[in-house]
Amino acid sequence: MAETLPRISVAAPVLDGREREYVNECLDTTWISSGGRFITEFEKSFADYCGVKHAIACNNGTTALHLALVALNLKPGDEVIVPSLTYIASANAVSYCGATPVLAENETRAFNIEPSDIEALITPNTRGIMPVHLYGHPADMDPINAIAKKHGLFVIEDAAEAVGAKYKGRMTGGLGDVGVFSFFGNKIITTGEGGMVTTNDDTLAETMRLYRSQGMDPKRRYWFPVIGFNYRMTNIQAAIGLAQLERVEHHLEGRRRVAALYDKALERLGNRVILPVVEDYAEHVYWMYTIQLGEGVSKSRDQVMLDMDALGIETRPVFHPMHVLPPYEHLKTRELPNADLCAGRGINLPTHGLLTEADIDRIAAALDQVLA
Ligand SMILES: *Cc1c(COP(=O)(O)O)cnc(C)c1O
């Protein structure tokens, strides 16, 4: 009986490299706070991996986003164009600066910001655009960058879910002015909690380092020219991160394997489900393998998730778009049908490197039964 099988969780970290060895080195050397070799090595290796000049480690992805926006000098009254369909941290970071997220529509294939929706949202107060590479599939960056250039706007990539994803062969994190990553426990690589900002701009990098560490002048100890933050990562987090990054190809391969197994196993469901699309320009890293219920399905998305849960399989709903959430619903000035559609029928299936072929078959069989 399904009930006797172990539960399948939607996400799980894979810690099968040198994580333990590196963390023990922190303990043995007592370098457990925000200095130490792992921080500098993790930053250097991550910058190299993304093909950018600078990577600055932070204590989580949300503070990394905030730090980037502070360095970009985002101020009260300013506006940043953000997809409505995203994780709330994207919009929150804009709010922390006293600025306003302006909610853009998404396309319905890979759920990313719709470039053709952006230009009409630009006002004299617009300062930047924040595409989000949702669920690990890169946004269509060339038209976004072209619009930004034409209007003198910054581009900040929320690449929190997209470590290793590529757009036209180029790594995410280096496709705009600043890239932002998260290393939360369920992300592509993890440090427990953690984040990173990436940039090719020397001045932005210097400003982000300044603000990350209370604003202390790097050349004059305990002299603070600005009000900064404590957004530092610890050496212990960086130790885990470096061990994860050393095996990033293995972690990505695990997710690609799971996605390929789903593609095959879900074929039998026919038009009861819509499988994730990978655009020609994209290398998808499958942070979440996301399906949408087909048009003919009469059961509600939430009921499908409850029924899957009863069979021991955890799933997640696609994010509620910002325009329906209490802190942001007042920003809804028009209908956003694509965001509503994807949020209403989208489900994230379990996606992580520990899933076996038998797990995927069980999930597909359960979905087949639930949607019968
Ligand atoms: C996870 C995530 C963040 C925030 O990262 P935390 O490390 O959880 O603070 C930001 N944006 C998106 C799209 C995310 O998925």
Side-chain angles (χ1 to χ4, degrees):
M1 284 281 86
E3 286 78 3
T4 63
L5 292 168
R7 274 188 70 76
I8 296 178
S9 61
V10 80
V14 180
L15 304 165
D16 57 2
R18 301 176 77 179
E19 289 84 357
R20 183 181 304 267
E21 177 193 333
Y22 288 173
V23 169
N24 279 334
E25 183 181 318
C26 297
L27 297 171
D28 292 341
T29 60
T30 75
W31 285 90
I32 59 170
S33 199
S34 53
R37 80 168 179 106
F38 291 116
I39 294 171
T40 44
E41 284 181 35
F42 185 38
E43 288 183 338
K44 169 111 193 14
S45 302
F46 198 82
D48 290 347
Y49 179 63
C50 294
V52 295
K53 275 173 85 178
H54 307 281
I56 296 141
C58 297
N59 53 351
N60 62 61
T62 308
T63 55
L65 274 171
H66 184 211
L67 190 64
L69 292 171
V70 167
L72 289 161
N73 202 24
L74 195 67
K75 289 279 194 303
D78 291 345
E79 295 172 1
V80 180
I81 296 169
V82 177
S84 188
L85 191 71
T86 182
Y87 181 55
I88 195 166
S90 318
N92 282 353
V94 174
S95 301
Y96 299 160
C97 296
T100 304
V102 173
L103 304 178
E105 183 63 294
N106 54 278
E107 35 82 11
T108 57
R109 289 162 58 83
F111 318 107
N112 282 316
I113 190 167
E114 170 56 59
S116 67
D117 194 48
I118 293 174
E119 225 162 353
L121 301 175
I122 295 173
T123 76
N125 297 324
T126 308
R127 292 281 325 285
I129 309 170
M130 186 192 291
V132 182
H133 306 310
L134 209 67
Y135 300 127
H137 187 298
D140 190 3
M141 293 301 292
D142 280 351
I144 296 168
N145 281 327
I147 295 164
K149 195 163 173 209
K150 181 171 156 200
H151 295 272
L153 308 176
F154 65 72
V155 173
I156 171 170
E157 284 173 85
D158 184 343
E161 306 174 356
V163 169
K166 288 184 188 160
Y167 174 76
K168 299 186 179 172
R170 283 138 55 204
M171 293 293 278
T172 53
L175 303 171
D177 296 288
V178 185
V180 177
F181 294 88
S182 166
F183 308 124
F184 183 64
N186 65 9
K187 297 287 164 80
I188 301 281
I189 62 170
T190 185
T191 60
E193 294 272 7
M196 193 77 84
V197 284
T198 52
T199 186
N200 285 308
D201 184 311
D202 298 341
T203 310
L204 279 178
E206 199 180 314
T207 309
M208 290 192 283
R209 287 193 185 280
L210 176 74
Y211 278 88
R212 176 181 62 172
S213 211
Q214 286 315 358
M216 185 161 79
D217 188 332
K219 295 190 202 72
R220 192 174 170 194
R221 291 186 76 205
Y222 296 97
W223 182 257
F224 301 91
V226 296
I227 300 175
F229 311 97
N230 178 356
Y231 285 172
R232 294 182 300 260
M233 176 179 274
T234 69
N235 202 43
I236 299 174
Q237 288 170 294
I240 298 172
L242 185 65
Q244 290 269 292
L245 188 60
E246 284 172 353
R247 285 170 66 72
V248 64
E249 284 312 320
H250 158 77
H251 296 301
L252 295 174
E253 175 47 36
R255 289 171 180 279
R256 281 194 291 265
R257 176 182 59 80
V258 164
L261 288 169
Y262 272 130
D263 283 345
K264 198 155 154 283
L266 295 175
E267 255 172 31
R268 78 173 92 137
L269 276 89
N271 59 13
R272 287 176 287 162
V273 292
I274 301 165
L275 301 187
V277 174
V278 184
E279 301 290 0
D280 289 342
Y281 53 71
E283 250 179 65
H284 194 345
V285 289
Y286 296 101
W287 176 54
M288 285 286 152
Y289 189 94
T290 306
I291 60 163
Q292 300 176 80
L293 298 180
E295 266 160 37
V297 172
S298 54
K299 210 180 253 188
S300 77
R301 188 272 310 275
D302 290 353
Q303 189 59 50
V304 170
M305 291 181 50
L306 282 171
D307 292 350
M308 290 293 283
D309 193 74
L311 295 171
I313 295 157
E314 185 193 8
T315 57
R316 288 188 0 178
V318 158
F319 296 126
H320 298 290
M322 296 306 104
H323 69 266
V324 307
L325 295 177
Y328 295 117
E329 62 187 349
H330 67 285
L331 297 177
K332 180 181 173 188
T333 55
R334 59 188 174 133
E335 293 304 315
L336 295 164
N338 289 0
D340 289 335
L341 181 74
C342 297
R345 68 182 191 185
I347 301 178
N348 303 137
L349 297 181
T351 317
H352 59 80
L354 299 176
L355 293 167
T356 64
E357 187 165 358
D359 291 329
I360 306 298
D361 285 342
R362 182 178 149 205
I363 295 162
L367 204 54
D368 194 12
Q369 180 186 331
V370 165
L371 294 176

